[in-house]
Amino acid sequence: MQNLLTDRELLQELADEVESNLRRHIEAADGWQPHEYVPWDDGRNFGFLSGIDWEPGQSELSDTAKLALTVSVLIADNLPAYHREIGKYLRTGAWWRWVGRWTAEENRHEIMIRNYLMVTRSVDPIELERLRMDHMTKGFRRPALHLLDVLATCAFEESAAAIRHRNTAALGENAMVTAIAERIAVDDELQLVLFANLVAAAFELAPDQTIRAIADSVASFHVPTVTLPDGRSSDELLAEAGIYDPAKENELVFAPLLKRWNVFERTDLGDEGEKARAELAHLRTESLA
């Protein structure tokens, strides 16, 4: 039977891995500015400043693009809650610096999308603000997790976010929407690499605990959702539009990471690890593809 490591021990054992991955991540993710993705010449005042208030005919985006960008900006706007939920587990050394970096990156995604939507008058600014107030008032909380649960869940979440943004880019809405969505997808994928590398490193320290965390994360996984004014969930509409379909998570979110971690080829699992791996058996064919 493998010795169980506490979260404190894992934080210490993985600290060097976090440090090296954080340096690599910053080198890869730097070099772009959110203000460069906003067509500022298209901007004009709203009625409060003696300009023209928004009306639907001003928007040149399709309903699918408006929905995808609105959901992205609202999820990113709820950043204080996500920062709190991830930060309460990672309050030391390089871990805490990574939380700060991750939060800053998510914030600049929100800044970029919101500025684009406002300057181009792509959505109703009053309705967007009402949605933002409601979404943030409801907030976001996770159940209590161990460190390895946090890492596995975050890896899956960044994978899902990258898929959503890649599919938004694939709409071919216009050159700027495509560039914005692709830029965010690149960041999502870089964040995914960091979390995935930490999970891989954890396998070397505590294979049974790590695969247990992965199995639990798969079983409980769901992406952040937004309730729209008509009462429908953003999940439903994004799936219909081909932007993100939870029914495809096994194939697109879970299987690639299980393959990356060699989940079904590992020979270092004990009895408890084998039990956890059995819970993932339904993903075996897809992860070996």
Side-chain angles (χ1 to χ4, degrees):
M1 180 176 179
Q2 297 176 8
N3 292 327
L4 296 181
L5 297 179
T6 66
D7 283 356
R8 182 182 295 274
E9 289 171 331
L10 287 165
L11 284 169
Q12 294 172 345
E13 292 290 336
L14 291 170
D16 288 344
E17 192 75 21
V18 178
E19 188 73 64
S20 62
N21 272 275
L22 179 56
R23 288 197 300 269
R24 176 202 51 76
H25 176 88
I26 291 173
E27 290 176 1
D30 273 352
W32 72 276
Q33 298 297 328
H35 68 270
E36 295 178 343
Y37 289 75
V38 180
W40 299 101
D41 282 347
D42 292 352
R44 49 182 167 152
N45 289 341
F46 292 97
F48 183 76
L49 293 177
S50 302
I52 299 173
D53 278 332
W54 185 86
E55 58 183 37
Q58 295 169 357
S59 176
E60 297 181 357
L61 294 187
S62 68
D63 288 343
T64 299
K66 285 187 283 189
L67 173 65
L69 292 176
T70 295
V71 169
S72 288
V73 80
L74 289 175
I75 290 174
D77 243 331
N78 215 0
L79 191 57
Y82 294 114
H83 175 88
R84 179 195 67 234
E85 289 301 307
I86 190 173
K88 67 186 181 184
Y89 299 102
L90 310 175
R91 293 180 179 271
T92 180
W95 293 97
W96 186 237
R97 293 197 302 279
W98 165 239
V99 172
R101 174 72 193 201
W102 176 86
T103 302
E105 290 183 2
E106 295 299 316
N107 191 40
R108 69 179 176 182
H109 297 164
E110 184 274 334
I111 291 169
M112 176 171 59
I113 301 174
R114 176 180 288 276
N115 283 343
Y116 175 81
L117 293 175
M118 293 300 98
V119 167
T120 61
R121 294 181 175 241
S122 293
V123 299
D124 182 347
I126 295 175
E127 185 59 45
L128 181 62
E129 181 63 8
R130 287 173 178 162
L131 284 170
R132 188 187 74 85
M133 294 291 286
D134 179 67
H135 189 58
M136 292 191 69
T137 299
K138 291 177 180 175
F140 171 80
R141 282 192 176 276
R142 296 188 193 275
L145 299 174
H146 290 293
L147 175 64
L148 298 180
D149 300 310
V150 174
L151 299 180
T153 298
C154 285
F156 291 136
E157 286 178 345
E158 293 301 343
S159 176
I163 291 167
R164 192 175 76 246
H165 290 121
R166 287 293 180 194
N167 285 336
T168 301
L171 290 173
E173 187 69 25
N174 63 48
M176 194 53 64
V177 168
T178 298
I180 287 171
E182 286 180 344
R183 179 60 257 180
I184 296 174
V186 169
D187 276 6
D188 293 334
E189 289 159 357
L190 290 172
Q191 292 167 351
L192 162 62
V193 168
L194 189 143
F195 286 119
N197 285 350
L198 295 181
V199 172
F203 259 121
E204 302 306 312
L205 296 170
D208 278 14
Q209 286 174 263
T210 303
I211 199 167
R212 175 75 269 162
I214 291 169
D216 289 344
S217 295
V218 168
S220 63
F221 185 75
H222 59 274
V223 295
T225 61
V226 175
T227 301
L228 301 171
D230 62 5
R232 288 187 293 175
S233 168
S234 57
D235 273 4
E236 176 185 348
L237 295 182
L238 290 178
E240 290 175 0
I243 301 298
Y244 186 84
D245 187 353
K248 296 182 178 180
E249 284 173 345
N250 285 355
E251 171 191 357
L252 301 179
V253 176
F254 304 137
L257 281 167
L258 297 186
K259 183 176 182 179
R260 183 188 188 106
W261 295 322
N262 297 317
V263 163
F264 295 110
E265 293 79 21
R266 306 195 70 89
T267 59
D268 54 359
L269 300 178
D271 290 343
E272 293 303 313
E274 292 293 354
K275 290 178 184 178
R277 179 155 60 182
E279 296 171 23
L280 298 168
H282 63 290
L283 299 170
R284 183 181 179 89
T285 300
E286 291 168 330
S287 68
L288 295 178

